Amino acid sequence: DAGVIQSPRHEVTEMGQEVTLRCKPISGHNSLFWYRQTMMRGLELLIYFNNNVPIDDSGMPEDRFSAKMPNASFSTLKIQPSEPRDSAVYFCASSLIRSSGELFFGEGSRLTVL
Amino acid sequence: GESVGLHLPTLSVQEGDNSIINCAYSNSASDYFIWYKQESGKGPQFIIDIRSNMDKRQGQRVTVLLNKTVKHLSLQIAATQPGDSAVYFCAEIIMNRDDKIIFGKGTRLHILP
C-alpha cells in the first residue's frame, strides 16, 4: 500500500488567496483526520471523518477553514481566504476504525502564507 | 526537523544507553494511550499503545509504563540507536465518547555518538 498521500507537499501563497490541500487515505480505512502542526501549538486536531461523515469539527479555527470528504478515497481541506497565521504543516491521517489509536499519517503539506 | 518547534524539551542520550521519555496527561477520563515518533520532515508514526486497564506493555525494544494515580506515562527505549533520533509524542483518547486523539507537546530525543 502506498500509505496516506497528501498534496501539495509545499505551498507558498499570498495572504487572501485560497488554499486547497488534498488527501488520499489508505484504502479500506474508515476514519480520516486533519491535523495542523505549528511550533507554538504542536499537533492540533482540526476535524475528523468516519465513513465520509464529519464527526467532530470543533478544532477548525474559524469559518475560513472547511473540509470535505466526497468519497472514501479523497478529502480536501480548504482555507479561504488564507492568512499568515495559517502557516503550518497540515497532516492528514487515516485509521482502520474510528476508535483505533493507530493513525497512519501522510508526509504533510507545508503551507506558507506571505 | 522543520515540522516541530525549537522549544521542545530535549533528552540527550548516549548511543547504546536506555532512554526514558516521560509524559503527563491531564484528563483522568482518558482510557487509551499511544506513543508516536516523528522524524524530521515526516508525519508521526505509531510506536506502541496501552489501555488504561494495564500498567505496562512491551514491544520490540520499547516499553510503555502507565501510572494512572499520578496521570503519568513513560516510554522506555532500550539500547538507543541513531535511528531513534526523533520527536516523541504521547497521545490520549477517551474511548466511546468522542474518540478524539489528542497529542501532547512532544520531546526531542537526541542521540550522542
Side-chain angles (χ1 to χ4, degrees), chain B residues 44-73:
Chain B
Q45 181 180 20
F46 173 93
I47 302 173
I48 191 168
D49 58 4
I50 188 168
R51 304 276 171 171
S52 60
N53 61 352
M54 303 170 68
D55 54 18
K56 181 179 179 178
R57 189 163 187 222
Q58 288 186 290
Q60 188 176 17
R61 272 202 316 121
V62 295
T63 301
V64 56
L65 299 178
L66 174 63
N67 186 331
K68 293 182 289 295
T69 303
V70 295
K71 291 189 284 189
H72 183 267
L73 194 64

Short mmCIF file of all heavy atoms in Angstrom, two decimals, chain B residues 44-73:
data_model
loop_
_atom_site.label_atom_id
_atom_site.label_comp_id
_atom_site.label_asym_id
_atom_site.label_seq_id
_atom_site.Cartn_x
_atom_site.Cartn_y
_atom_site.Cartn_z
N PRO B 44 3.99 11.81 11.97
CA PRO B 44 4.15 10.92 13.12
C PRO B 44 3.87 9.47 12.77
O PRO B 44 3.06 9.18 11.89
CB PRO B 44 3.10 11.46 14.12
CG PRO B 44 2.86 12.87 13.71
CD PRO B 44 2.99 12.86 12.20
N GLN B 45 4.57 8.59 13.49
CA GLN B 45 4.44 7.16 13.23
C GLN B 45 4.12 6.45 14.54
O GLN B 45 4.78 6.67 15.56
CB GLN B 45 5.75 6.64 12.62
CG GLN B 45 5.75 5.19 12.28
CD GLN B 45 7.08 4.75 11.70
OE1 GLN B 45 8.10 5.41 11.87
NE2 GLN B 45 7.08 3.64 11.00
N PHE B 46 3.13 5.59 14.52
CA PHE B 46 2.71 4.83 15.70
C PHE B 46 3.85 3.93 16.19
O PHE B 46 4.52 3.28 15.40
CB PHE B 46 1.50 3.98 15.32
CG PHE B 46 1.04 3.02 16.37
CD1 PHE B 46 0.06 3.39 17.27
CD2 PHE B 46 1.56 1.74 16.44
CE1 PHE B 46 -0.39 2.49 18.23
CE2 PHE B 46 1.12 0.84 17.40
CZ PHE B 46 0.15 1.22 18.30
N ILE B 47 4.04 3.94 17.53
CA ILE B 47 5.05 3.05 18.12
C ILE B 47 4.38 1.95 18.93
O ILE B 47 4.57 0.76 18.68
CB ILE B 47 6.00 3.82 19.06
CG1 ILE B 47 6.70 4.96 18.34
CG2 ILE B 47 7.04 2.87 19.65
CD1 ILE B 47 7.51 5.83 19.29
N ILE B 48 3.60 2.34 19.92
CA ILE B 48 3.02 1.38 20.85
C ILE B 48 1.86 2.04 21.57
O ILE B 48 1.80 3.26 21.70
CB ILE B 48 4.09 0.89 21.86
CG1 ILE B 48 3.59 -0.31 22.67
CG2 ILE B 48 4.53 2.02 22.80
CD1 ILE B 48 4.69 -1.00 23.47
N ASP B 49 0.92 1.21 22.03
CA ASP B 49 -0.21 1.75 22.76
C ASP B 49 -0.44 0.95 24.04
O ASP B 49 0.13 -0.12 24.24
CB ASP B 49 -1.48 1.77 21.90
CG ASP B 49 -1.87 0.38 21.39
OD1 ASP B 49 -1.21 -0.62 21.75
OD2 ASP B 49 -2.84 0.30 20.60
N ILE B 50 -1.27 1.51 24.91
CA ILE B 50 -1.59 0.82 26.16
C ILE B 50 -2.99 1.25 26.62
O ILE B 50 -3.36 2.43 26.51
CB ILE B 50 -0.53 1.12 27.25
CG1 ILE B 50 -0.76 0.26 28.49
CG2 ILE B 50 -0.51 2.61 27.63
CD1 ILE B 50 0.41 0.28 29.47
N ARG B 51 -3.76 0.28 27.10
CA ARG B 51 -5.08 0.57 27.62
C ARG B 51 -4.97 0.93 29.10
O ARG B 51 -4.02 0.53 29.78
CB ARG B 51 -5.99 -0.65 27.46
CG ARG B 51 -6.09 -1.14 26.04
CD ARG B 51 -7.10 -0.41 25.23
NE ARG B 51 -7.05 -0.75 23.81
CZ ARG B 51 -7.93 -0.37 22.92
NH1 ARG B 51 -8.95 0.37 23.28
NH2 ARG B 51 -7.80 -0.71 21.66
N SER B 52 -5.99 1.59 29.60
CA SER B 52 -5.92 2.06 30.99
C SER B 52 -6.04 0.93 32.01
O SER B 52 -5.76 1.14 33.19
CB SER B 52 -7.01 3.10 31.25
OG SER B 52 -8.28 2.54 31.04
N ASN B 53 -6.42 -0.25 31.57
CA ASN B 53 -6.51 -1.38 32.50
C ASN B 53 -5.17 -2.12 32.62
O ASN B 53 -5.09 -3.17 33.24
CB ASN B 53 -7.62 -2.34 32.10
CG ASN B 53 -7.40 -2.94 30.73
OD1 ASN B 53 -6.49 -2.53 30.00
ND2 ASN B 53 -8.24 -3.89 30.36
N MET B 54 -4.14 -1.56 31.98
CA MET B 54 -2.80 -2.13 32.06
C MET B 54 -1.86 -1.10 32.66
O MET B 54 -2.12 0.11 32.59
CB MET B 54 -2.30 -2.52 30.67
CG MET B 54 -3.21 -3.48 29.93
SD MET B 54 -2.72 -3.66 28.20
CE MET B 54 -1.16 -4.51 28.38
N ASP B 55 -0.75 -1.57 33.22
CA ASP B 55 0.25 -0.61 33.69
C ASP B 55 1.59 -0.76 32.96
O ASP B 55 2.49 0.07 33.12
CB ASP B 55 0.44 -0.70 35.21
CG ASP B 55 0.76 -2.11 35.65
OD1 ASP B 55 1.17 -2.94 34.82
OD2 ASP B 55 0.58 -2.40 36.86
N LYS B 56 1.68 -1.77 32.11
CA LYS B 56 2.94 -1.97 31.38
C LYS B 56 2.64 -2.75 30.10
O LYS B 56 1.81 -3.65 30.10
CB LYS B 56 3.91 -2.76 32.25
CG LYS B 56 5.27 -3.02 31.61
CD LYS B 56 6.17 -3.79 32.58
CE LYS B 56 7.53 -4.08 31.98
NZ LYS B 56 8.42 -4.80 32.93
N ARG B 57 3.35 -2.36 29.07
CA ARG B 57 3.25 -3.11 27.81
C ARG B 57 4.60 -3.04 27.11
O ARG B 57 5.22 -1.98 27.06
CB ARG B 57 2.16 -2.54 26.92
CG ARG B 57 1.88 -3.42 25.72
CD ARG B 57 0.57 -3.10 25.06
NE ARG B 57 0.32 -4.11 24.02
CZ ARG B 57 -0.15 -3.80 22.82
NH1 ARG B 57 -0.43 -2.56 22.51
NH2 ARG B 57 -0.37 -4.76 21.94
N GLN B 58 5.02 -4.18 26.57
CA GLN B 58 6.33 -4.22 25.92
C GLN B 58 6.20 -4.49 24.44
O GLN B 58 5.35 -5.26 23.99
CB GLN B 58 7.19 -5.31 26.57
CG GLN B 58 7.67 -4.92 27.97
CD GLN B 58 8.63 -5.94 28.55
OE1 GLN B 58 8.23 -7.04 28.88
NE2 GLN B 58 9.89 -5.57 28.69
N GLY B 59 7.09 -3.82 23.69
CA GLY B 59 7.20 -4.10 22.27
C GLY B 59 8.64 -4.44 21.96
O GLY B 59 9.40 -4.82 22.85
N GLN B 60 8.99 -4.27 20.73
CA GLN B 60 10.37 -4.54 20.36
C GLN B 60 11.26 -3.36 20.75
O GLN B 60 11.12 -2.27 20.23
CB GLN B 60 10.47 -4.75 18.84
CG GLN B 60 11.82 -5.22 18.38
CD GLN B 60 11.86 -5.51 16.89
OE1 GLN B 60 10.98 -5.08 16.15
NE2 GLN B 60 12.85 -6.25 16.46
N ARG B 61 12.08 -3.54 21.72
CA ARG B 61 12.99 -2.52 22.28
C ARG B 61 12.27 -1.38 22.98
O ARG B 61 12.90 -0.43 23.45
CB ARG B 61 13.90 -1.90 21.20
CG ARG B 61 15.18 -2.61 20.96
CD ARG B 61 16.29 -1.76 20.31
NE ARG B 61 15.84 -0.93 19.21
CZ ARG B 61 15.95 0.39 19.20
NH1 ARG B 61 16.44 1.04 20.22
NH2 ARG B 61 15.54 1.07 18.16
N VAL B 62 10.97 -1.39 23.03
CA VAL B 62 10.24 -0.32 23.72
C VAL B 62 9.31 -0.90 24.78
O VAL B 62 8.78 -2.00 24.61
CB VAL B 62 9.42 0.55 22.74
CG1 VAL B 62 10.33 1.31 21.79
CG2 VAL B 62 8.42 -0.28 21.97
N THR B 63 9.16 -0.12 25.85
CA THR B 63 8.24 -0.47 26.92
C THR B 63 7.47 0.79 27.31
O THR B 63 8.07 1.85 27.46
CB THR B 63 8.99 -1.00 28.15
OG1 THR B 63 9.75 -2.15 27.79
CG2 THR B 63 8.02 -1.36 29.27
N VAL B 64 6.18 0.66 27.46
CA VAL B 64 5.38 1.79 27.92
C VAL B 64 4.87 1.47 29.32
O VAL B 64 4.41 0.36 29.58
CB VAL B 64 4.24 2.14 26.94
CG1 VAL B 64 3.34 0.95 26.69
CG2 VAL B 64 3.43 3.32 27.44
N LEU B 65 4.99 2.44 30.20
CA LEU B 65 4.50 2.31 31.57
C LEU B 65 3.43 3.36 31.81
O LEU B 65 3.57 4.51 31.39
CB LEU B 65 5.65 2.51 32.56
CG LEU B 65 6.81 1.53 32.48
CD1 LEU B 65 7.88 1.90 33.50
CD2 LEU B 65 6.34 0.11 32.72
N LEU B 66 2.37 2.94 32.48
CA LEU B 66 1.26 3.84 32.77
C LEU B 66 1.02 3.87 34.27
O LEU B 66 0.82 2.83 34.90
CB LEU B 66 0.00 3.36 32.04
CG LEU B 66 -1.30 4.12 32.34
CD1 LEU B 66 -1.20 5.58 31.90
CD2 LEU B 66 -2.48 3.44 31.65
N ASN B 67 1.01 5.06 34.83
CA ASN B 67 0.68 5.26 36.24
C ASN B 67 -0.54 6.17 36.31
O ASN B 67 -0.42 7.39 36.19
CB ASN B 67 1.86 5.87 36.99
CG ASN B 67 1.61 5.97 38.49
OD1 ASN B 67 0.47 6.10 38.94
ND2 ASN B 67 2.67 5.90 39.27
N LYS B 68 -1.69 5.55 36.49
CA LYS B 68 -2.93 6.32 36.46
C LYS B 68 -3.11 7.18 37.71
O LYS B 68 -3.81 8.19 37.68
CB LYS B 68 -4.13 5.37 36.30
CG LYS B 68 -4.14 4.67 34.95
CD LYS B 68 -5.36 3.77 34.80
CE LYS B 68 -5.28 2.55 35.69
NZ LYS B 68 -4.16 1.64 35.30
N THR B 69 -2.47 6.78 38.79
CA THR B 69 -2.61 7.53 40.04
C THR B 69 -2.09 8.95 39.89
O THR B 69 -2.71 9.90 40.37
CB THR B 69 -1.85 6.81 41.17
OG1 THR B 69 -2.35 5.48 41.29
CG2 THR B 69 -2.03 7.56 42.48
N VAL B 70 -0.95 9.06 39.22
CA VAL B 70 -0.36 10.39 39.02
C VAL B 70 -0.49 10.86 37.58
O VAL B 70 0.11 11.87 37.20
CB VAL B 70 1.12 10.41 39.47
CG1 VAL B 70 1.22 10.16 40.97
CG2 VAL B 70 1.93 9.37 38.71
N LYS B 71 -1.26 10.15 36.78
CA LYS B 71 -1.51 10.51 35.38
C LYS B 71 -0.20 10.71 34.63
O LYS B 71 0.07 11.76 34.04
CB LYS B 71 -2.40 11.75 35.30
CG LYS B 71 -3.83 11.45 35.78
CD LYS B 71 -4.80 12.60 35.52
CE LYS B 71 -4.60 13.71 36.50
NZ LYS B 71 -5.66 14.74 36.42
N HIS B 72 0.60 9.66 34.65
CA HIS B 72 1.92 9.72 34.05
C HIS B 72 2.15 8.51 33.15
O HIS B 72 1.78 7.39 33.47
CB HIS B 72 2.98 9.75 35.16
CG HIS B 72 4.37 9.88 34.66
ND1 HIS B 72 5.17 8.79 34.41
CD2 HIS B 72 5.11 10.96 34.35
CE1 HIS B 72 6.35 9.20 33.97
NE2 HIS B 72 6.34 10.52 33.93
N LEU B 73 2.76 8.80 32.02
CA LEU B 73 3.05 7.80 31.01
C LEU B 73 4.53 7.90 30.66
O LEU B 73 5.07 9.01 30.60
CB LEU B 73 2.21 8.14 29.77
CG LEU B 73 2.00 7.18 28.64
CD1 LEU B 73 1.23 5.97 29.11
CD2 LEU B 73 1.25 7.88 27.52
#
